[in-house]
Amino acid sequence: MRDKYSTMEKSIDEINTRIHDGNARVVTAEEMPDIVAELGEEAALREVDVVTTGTFGAMCSSGAFFNFGHADPPIRMERVWLNDVEAYGGIAAVDAYIGATQQSTTQGDRYGGAHVIEDLISGRSIELRAISRGTDCYPRRTVTTNLLLEDFNDATMLNPRNAYQCYNAATNSTDRILHTYMGTLLPNCGNVSYSGAGVLSPLANDPTYRVIGSGVPIFLGGAQGMIVGEGTQSSPATGFATLMTTGDLTRMSPDYIRAATFQGYGVTMYVGLGVPLPVTDLTVVRSTAVRDEDLTTGIVDYGVPYRDRPTLRRISYAELKSGRIELDGEEVKTSSLSSYRKAREVAETLKNWVEMGSIDLALPTRRVDRTRRTHPMRETNLVPRVREVMETKVVCITEDEPITEAALKLLRGETNHLPVLNGDHRLVGIVTTYDVTKAVARPDDRVAVRDVMTRKVVRTTPEEAVDIAAQKLDRNNISALPVVDPQNRVIGMLTALNLGKLLGGRWKA
Amino acid sequence: MKLMVSFSRKKVSEPIIARAVMDTGVLINVERARIEPTEGDVLIDVPDESARTVCMKMRELGATVSVLRDAIIRDEDECVDCGACISVCPQEAFSFDSDWKLSLDQPRCVLCGRCIQACPHGALSLQK
């Protein structure tokens, strides 16, 4: 009889009793909105006991603690490699933590910590290599051995930052292709990529953190895991909470833990994660009734190489999932990076676990601090700006002058680059020693600088961070950048040589 | 039907596509071309019933021709149906079905290879 819930609240004990009796009504977060719409909130509270959520996407901030057992003679491992991927060994004798994004010393971004974890879960053997300086109590200096997951004493996944409440969608306004952790971003806002399961997303279904918090049992990588508490960088006050999660690696499945590589970014790990939400009161009913139409995120321009990237517009998950959205009057295709099919699988599997009574629900033992917000790094040493390293004595030429004059100036100025100015002293091009040499070697009707100059000049500004300027040199395979003021007047030159002095020889001409 | 026509300047001296169109009367759609100083590959689309005629003509002119079927291979074990490939494809060859499973419309593919690089799971490859 359901009328005993007349108090508009259900205790977690009541819900667990129903689960054990096999009477619990369990639905996924995708099914809940229609149920609430049909029955109304109060009837939905009486009717539904548990709402399951799920997500399956790239969660870079993941990894695992291992204990390998003691060797004989014993070793206190100082540096540890698993299949040539370094694990952190600064946690006593035979323990180590492997991070998902750590890359192999021999295979680069094709193999990393995530692959080690996936290989272990899949039953494949991995090579452990460790070194030590040797002590009286741990005399051994090196060890190499092949291990299966079952040979470990412990293998505990611990993910510092999973299950973002919300994540930005990404686009790219520059004229070149970008390779990011948000996937391939085509030039001129040619596509938009997004991550997250929307209506099925765990934290999106409990934005007030009523039933999500420390100690809550979850689905993690195919096994039963637990929420440790708030994740690192969690920012509930701004709607960007995260979770720290843990689970027994030995019980996980490669169906829900997948190593991956984003081209140009590196290794990451796809993790399947789901939280069962006990429907204890009307607040939970209302928050689990959320639909893709109600969940919004910002489309952020990853073409801007700074921390605070501009948001081009707000967008709902319903629009993102439709495959096409409108951006600045143009139709743009969208790609998800997380798998909605797998997210559904997680939520369905979790639903099954609850229905079978194989998972006990619990309320948080410590609640999320809703006032907490993340803040940017406090930088005591400011990143050097172009102004500090640029050459201020610049030899320029005007576009009307003859090529022979350019040759003389290059020779006299002991430089390889001449910024070219128009009559108003604005930058309109650049000529290099190579351009002049080519014009001399193959004489035709080209006589003035404007005939041989490069018109599309890659430039920098005095306030630009040198790292960004260095990236411009690298990407365009050039060795100097004119520094311009807002009126496009040349106030300096930045050469590979200037950067070389600053960055320790990495940018030698 | 899609045909990959490869030629080298040594063996092929005339404008091979134009010659094939004129001689066979078949309308050839060029989908992608890579022309280098000494060699080239051109991906063409022709009506199925004319494929044989075009193939024979191209070979007669000194090119090698291969028929492309299932040009992109999708490893279903590696694919997690994330959809990272969908928006990078210029031909809209990828889409989700009603169950959010990825589907690939092979005939649309022009072998640009963008999806292969964009796939985080290494699930896509080019048929050799």
Side-chain angles (χ1 to χ4, degrees):
Chain A
M1 292 292 287
R2 292 189 175 242
D3 27 343
K4 65 179 171 178
Y5 305 116
S6 51
T7 53
M8 285 297 102
E9 264 186 28
K10 256 189 282 182
S11 75
I12 191 77
D13 290 337
E14 281 174 290
I15 292 171
N16 275 328
T17 304
R18 297 187 63 79
I19 292 173
H20 290 153
D21 294 347
N23 296 327
R25 173 83 195 274
V26 190
V27 303
T28 69
E30 206 178 2
E31 297 163 330
M32 187 64 169
D34 285 345
I35 293 173
V36 178
E38 191 193 319
L39 302 180
E41 289 174 352
E42 290 177 11
L45 172 61
R46 285 193 294 273
E47 171 73 19
V48 180
D49 299 300
V50 182
V51 175
T52 61
T53 59
T55 185
F56 183 88
M59 304 196 195
C60 294
S61 177
S62 300
F65 281 104
F66 298 127
N67 178 284
F68 306 111
H70 282 286
D72 188 25
I75 181 169
R76 175 177 172 275
M77 304 192 304
E78 283 165 21
R79 294 191 71 187
V80 185
W81 294 265
L82 298 164
N83 280 356
D84 291 342
V85 179
E86 184 155 21
Y88 179 68
I91 41 176
V94 289
D95 283 319
Y97 180 80
I98 191 157
T101 65
Q102 183 74 37
Q103 290 183 11
S104 154
T105 54
T106 49
Q107 294 185 70
D109 69 6
R110 279 177 297 132
Y111 194 91
H115 296 84
V116 172
I117 291 170
E118 189 187 327
D119 276 348
L120 284 168
I121 293 173
S122 308
R124 286 188 278 270
S125 149
I126 55 112
E127 186 198 63
L128 162 70
R129 203 155 49 79
I131 55 170
S132 167
R133 72 196 133 92
T135 68
D136 286 345
C137 43
Y138 292 106
R140 185 118 163 220
R141 292 183 179 210
T142 64
V143 65
T144 303
T145 181
N146 286 296
L147 298 172
L148 291 168
L149 189 52
E150 63 205 54
D151 300 322
F152 291 32
N153 280 324
D154 304 275
T156 305
M157 181 168 284
L158 182 90
N159 302 342
R161 184 169 70 254
N162 277 177
Y164 265 89
Q165 183 174 352
C166 178
Y167 210 87
N168 297 321
T171 193
N172 162 26
S173 67
T174 69
D175 57 5
R176 61 184 194 89
I177 200 161
L178 291 182
H179 300 289
T180 72
Y181 64 79
M182 289 301 287
T184 306
L185 300 176
L186 302 178
N188 307 314
C189 298
N191 66 343
V192 167
S193 70
Y194 68 97
S195 194
V199 65
L200 277 176
S201 164
L203 280 166
N205 278 278
D206 186 21
T208 57
Y209 321 107
R210 200 157 180 88
V211 288
I212 292 182
S214 298
V216 166
I218 57 169
F219 174 109
L220 184 65
Q224 193 175 320
M226 191 179 77
I227 295 172
V228 177
E230 281 168 82
T232 57
Q233 222 171 288
S234 186
S235 194
T238 55
F240 283 87
T242 69
L243 299 176
M244 187 179 288
T245 60
T246 187
D248 183 352
L249 199 73
T250 61
R251 294 175 179 276
M252 292 186 186
S253 150
D255 284 344
Y256 299 106
I257 294 289
R258 287 293 184 85
T261 299
F262 282 113
Q263 192 203 4
Y265 167 74
V267 174
T268 186
M269 193 160 80
Y270 274 59
V271 177
L273 191 161
V275 183
L277 307 174
V279 185
T280 51
D281 59 23
L282 286 174
T283 310
V284 179
V285 171
R286 279 177 206 130
S287 51
T288 51
V290 75
R291 296 175 191 269
D292 279 330
E293 286 78 3
D294 312 320
L295 294 168
T296 61
T297 188
I299 300 179
V300 168
D301 182 4
Y302 277 64
V304 175
Y306 294 98
R307 183 184 55 222
D308 299 319
R309 300 186 170 114
T311 298
L312 303 183
R313 66 163 286 198
R314 299 290 302 174
I315 189 97
S316 75
Y317 270 86
E319 291 170 273
L320 288 169
K321 283 182 181 175
S322 76
R324 281 167 200 286
I325 60 145
E326 194 239 276
L327 192 61
D328 266 340
E330 305 249 350
E331 193 185 69
V332 180
K333 282 188 282 178
T334 62
S335 264
S336 72
L337 298 170
S338 51
S339 167
Y340 195 66
R341 185 180 70 77
K342 298 286 273 187
R344 265 186 181 167
E345 226 174 271
V346 170
E348 287 291 340
T349 307
L350 195 48
K351 176 176 164 177
N352 202 252
W353 287 1
V354 180
E355 284 171 345
M356 304 282 289
S358 58
I359 184 168
D360 263 327
L361 300 201
L363 289 175
T365 52
R366 195 185 61 187
R367 289 188 186 277
V368 168
D369 175 4
R370 290 174 64 179
T371 63
R372 185 175 137 172
R373 64 173 65 220
T374 192
H375 55 81
M377 182 186 279
R378 173 171 167 255
E379 292 184 71
T380 53
N381 297 339
L382 292 177
V383 55
R385 305 283 155 175
V386 166
R387 182 190 295 285
E388 296 159 43
V389 292
M390 69 185 189
E391 211 72 64
T392 47
K393 263 188 9 204
V394 193
V395 185
C396 294
I397 193 158
T398 56
E399 54 184 340
D400 305 322
E401 287 179 78
I403 295 170
T404 46
E405 186 56 29
L408 276 174
K409 283 195 166 176
L410 283 168
L411 206 57
R412 251 188 268 131
E414 291 181 2
T415 171
N416 287 314
H417 304 82
L418 287 179
V420 183
L421 310 178
N422 66 9
D424 295 334
H425 304 287
R426 307 284 203 270
L427 179 70
V428 291
I430 191 163
V431 283
T432 65
T433 319
Y434 174 73
D435 297 326
V436 173
T437 312
K438 208 168 64 178
V440 172
R442 297 189 201 131
D444 42 29
D445 52 356
R446 296 182 299 180
V447 287
V449 166
R450 75 151 57 81
D451 303 326
V452 297
M453 70 184 187
T454 302
R455 285 167 199 274
K456 200 180 159 198
V457 190
V458 185
R459 59 198 80 189
T460 177
T461 61
E463 294 314 314
E464 191 160 68
V466 291
D467 301 78
I468 308 294
Q471 222 176 26
K472 285 184 179 171
L473 289 178
D474 218 22
R475 209 171 269 149
N476 295 287
N477 199 19
I478 52 179
S479 54
L481 294 171
V483 186
V484 295
D485 69 6
Q487 284 74 45
N488 208 19
R489 285 181 300 229
V490 179
I491 57 168
M493 279 298 269
L494 184 77
T495 66
L497 206 64
N498 305 136
L499 287 173
K501 283 177 197 154
L502 186 78
L503 302 175
R506 224 176 101 214
W507 298 99
K508 278 200 194 96
Chain B
M1 185 179 286
K2 287 189 198 304
L3 304 175
M4 181 62 92
V5 181
S6 307
F7 52 86
S8 73
R9 292 273 179 233
K10 276 185 195 146
K11 288 189 186 155
V12 179
S13 50
E14 56 183 333
I16 180 170
I17 306 284
R19 172 54 62 198
V21 172
M22 282 189 62
D23 289 3
T24 62
V26 176
L27 294 180
I28 293 175
N29 187 19
V30 176
E31 297 205 318
R32 200 166 57 88
R34 180 187 69 92
I35 311 289
E36 301 289 335
T38 57
E39 53 168 26
D41 318 291
V42 180
L43 179 67
I44 60 171
D45 194 17
V46 292
D48 285 358
E49 64 275 11
S50 316
R52 202 180 140 76
T53 322
V54 174
C55 265
M56 282 167 60
K57 187 72 202 168
M58 293 284 188
R59 287 185 183 130
E60 188 186 304
L61 291 167
T64 53
V65 186
S66 52
V67 178
L68 283 179
R69 285 194 192 90
D70 298 345
I72 293 284
I73 302 169
R74 169 165 164 244
D75 183 337
E76 301 239 358
D77 292 334
E78 288 298 331
C79 178
V80 300
D81 302 288
C82 69
C85 49
I86 292 178
S87 73
V88 299
C89 173
Q91 293 294 105
E92 304 191 17
F94 296 97
S95 59
F96 282 128
D97 69 12
S98 56
D99 292 325
W100 293 92
K101 206 166 165 34
L102 190 75
S103 79
L104 167 54
D105 186 3
Q106 287 280 5
R108 299 183 85 106
C109 174
V110 293
L111 288 176
C112 73
R114 254 193 209 165
C115 58
I116 297 171
Q117 294 191 324
C119 176
H121 296 271
L124 299 171
S125 56
L126 214 55
Q127 193 178 45
K128 288 281 174 284

